[in-house]
Amino acid sequence: MDISVQQLSSELRGAIEQLKTGPDVQKVGLVTRVGDGIAWIYGLRDCGFGEMVEIDGPGGSVSAFALQLLEDEIGVVLLGDERRITAGAKVRLTGQILEVPVGPELVGRVVDPLGRPLDGRGPLQAASTSPIERAAPDVISRQSVNTPLATGIMAIDAMIPIGRGQRELIIGDRQTGKTAIAIDTIINQQRQNSGVISIYVAIGQKMSKVARIVDRLRQEGALEHTIVVATSAADPASLQYLAPYSGTAMGEYFRDNGKDALIVYDDLSKHAWAYRQMSLLLRRPPGREAYPGDVFYLHSRLLERSAKLSEAGGGGSLTALPVIETQGGDVSAYIPTNVISITDGQIYLETDLFYQGIRPAISVGLSVSRVGGAAQQPAVKKIAGALRLDLAQFRELAAFAQFSTDLDAETKKRIERGRRLTEVLKQAQYSPMGTAEQVAVLLAATSGAFDSVPVEQMKDAQEALLGRLHAQHAKVLAEIDQSGRLSDQQRQDLLSAGRQVAQEFSQERS
């Protein structure tokens, strides 16, 4: 129920007057009205932002956290059933902020933002807890990003590399493959035995979608290295608001213990919507697009917690892949521009490319990694140096060639090479590739070895090349995977295999 101040009963007004003159007004309060998951409380003058309170109800206490501090009253967001609370209920300060269970016991489990299991596998036995809100590591506690985090997606590892401790935004319209990139990255950590613990945070997603993701991770053997923090669209805004902070606290446990963790926020657009909903109910002043003025701080204090710690701090890392949904490809909207300015680069997915069958639908021109190049595998960096430029030139020339039939030989050659590179970079979902495989395919495509292969047979030639290399040059692939480097002799071996495969496909064509 929602009770205005004018409608307060004489009994409640009397209780408030008594509280005013009592010694407990600093730490004890009374609920004046409640509704829409929000309770307003008189008293609690010592309450801090985000502090937990306990509200007494007929069926037991209900927890809440403070999000609006006014002169005479505070607004709290309820974490339990508001029907168990009535006006006049007594409220107590706990002196603590919200904590969630953390530790290796959560790996392989599906939990809600409060750490309660959702997978039907019994209660959690976590030995420790951590506050969901913590200060980000300072500059002295960090080191520069210097270790690659392989996604297994050739277009990303070659052109938009991600390093451990980086924050790389995945942005695009709905249904363009944003979640697919994140899930493939999680699966690749298991396939490459990288030792990275993954946290997937679903914010306001359909539970059917979350169930499909969990089932796929289980099929791929990746769930045993993953924590899933799930909230559905039917959950209260308070849980959707807490989800990314809870997931980050779970990831920080591994980071602070010298390990590497990867966290996916899917997606922060819905997180901002939940925060806007709570803020408007708490009557905070609305600003642009009705978001409160601190919505930038909402995401900056979250994403700044992802970092690679210095060797003195254990050398652990937390890598963030936040997801943002755009409307009609508008990257200049309020929340997208906010998150772009916080992160270290973005992977932009184009709707047009997606429906042309170019998947992952990564825009070469708008995607960038500001720090991952320093952590890129030397072998991939050596081969893919000109790849981005070649693709960008191809897109420009292809658009120009539509209006001209008379093209010189050099232009035709660049267009044909670009068409083949585009085919090579197409990659099916759930099929991440290792470093050596990427190097072999990129080398064949960029060196011209595959120029004679028909465009429509490029994927077949790619599979034939990888099959031949695994059968005849398995040692070379293993050495490249282990060292991350490419020697001149290894380059010759890979090129020789590429030319042989190209010759076979050229003969079939003739």
Side-chain angles (χ1 to χ4, degrees), residues 20-58:
K20 283 182 181 179
T21 58
D24 295 333
V25 69
Q26 309 295 333
K27 298 186 180 298
V28 178
L30 292 173
V31 175
T32 59
R33 56 199 190 278
V34 59
D36 295 320
I38 303 294
W40 291 95
I41 300 167
Y42 180 85
L44 299 183
R45 291 178 182 168
D46 282 352
C47 185
F49 183 83
E51 187 172 347
M52 296 293 295
V53 300
E54 291 289 335
I55 306 174
D56 293 333

Side-chain angles (χ1 to χ4, degrees), residues 113 200-206 210 228-232 243 264-267:
Y200 175 75
V201 182
I203 308 168
Q205 302 289 337
K206 293 179 181 177
V210 176
V228 178
V229 181
T231 61
S232 74
V264 175
Y265 304 108
D266 191 10
D267 65 44

Side-chain angles (χ1 to χ4, degrees), residues 193-459:
N193 197 23
S194 66
V196 174
I197 298 296
S198 302
I199 301 103
Y200 175 75
V201 182
I203 308 168
Q205 302 289 337
K206 293 179 181 177
M207 290 310 287
S208 58
K209 174 183 176 181
V210 176
R212 285 197 302 271
I213 289 172
V214 170
D215 186 56
R216 188 70 200 204
L217 291 175
R218 185 180 289 112
Q219 289 179 35
E220 299 288 344
L223 187 60
E224 60 195 45
H225 304 285
T226 306
I227 303 170
V228 178
V229 181
T231 61
S232 74
D235 285 328
S238 57
L239 288 183
Q240 296 182 43
Y241 164 77
L242 292 173
Y245 297 105
S246 299
T248 304
M250 296 170 189
E252 284 175 329
Y253 172 86
F254 299 101
R255 182 200 70 188
D256 295 343
N257 283 279
K259 297 181 180 178
D260 296 307
L262 164 70
I263 185 163
V264 175
Y265 304 108
D266 191 10
D267 65 44
L268 290 186
S269 300
K270 294 184 175 66
H271 184 234
W273 296 348
Y275 186 61
R276 175 172 59 185
Q277 177 181 330
M278 292 191 305
S279 297
L280 292 175
L281 288 170
L282 288 165
R283 299 179 185 172
R284 304 173 79 183
R288 180 175 165 187
E289 297 180 26
Y291 290 105
D294 64 343
V295 72
F296 180 91
Y297 181 56
L298 173 79
H299 290 150
S300 66
R301 74 177 190 265
L302 171 71
L303 292 168
E304 286 292 339
R305 293 162 69 179
S306 297
K308 182 167 178 62
L309 298 184
S310 64
E311 294 302 327
S317 70
L318 179 61
T319 308
L321 294 180
V323 177
I324 286 286
E325 181 181 304
T326 55
Q327 306 290 329
D330 184 13
V331 294
S332 63
Y334 189 29
I335 300 302
T337 52
N338 276 355
V339 182
I340 285 172
S341 65
I342 296 167
T343 49
D344 307 312
Q346 67 273 346
I347 299 168
Y348 179 64
L349 303 179
E350 282 191 66
T351 307
D352 290 345
L353 293 178
F354 184 84
Y355 288 118
Q356 289 172 26
I358 300 173
R359 303 174 187 178
I362 296 171
S363 168
V364 179
L366 293 178
S367 301
V368 64
S369 175
R370 298 189 182 98
V371 297
Q376 192 173 17
Q377 292 282 15
V380 179
K381 196 171 188 177
K382 188 174 182 180
I383 299 300
L387 182 61
R388 177 189 285 269
L389 182 61
D390 287 345
L391 278 175
Q393 288 178 338
F394 160 66
R395 298 269 165 87
E396 187 175 341
L397 289 172
F400 171 76
Q402 293 178 354
F403 305 100
S404 175
T405 55
D406 187 19
L407 298 175
D408 61 87
E410 182 63 26
T411 302
K412 287 181 180 178
K413 181 179 178 183
R414 285 184 178 276
I415 290 175
E416 288 301 314
R417 176 75 59 83
R419 291 174 63 195
R420 284 161 176 78
L421 289 175
T422 301
E423 282 297 314
V424 159
L425 292 178
K426 290 180 182 178
Q427 195 167 338
Q429 194 177 355
Y430 310 128
S431 57
M433 298 173 62
T435 299
E437 292 178 333
Q438 293 184 26
V439 168
V441 173
L442 288 172
L443 181 61
T446 57
S447 67
F450 272 9
D451 282 0
S452 59
V453 177
V455 174
E456 61 275 9
Q457 292 185 295
M458 282 295 291
K459 296 309 286 185

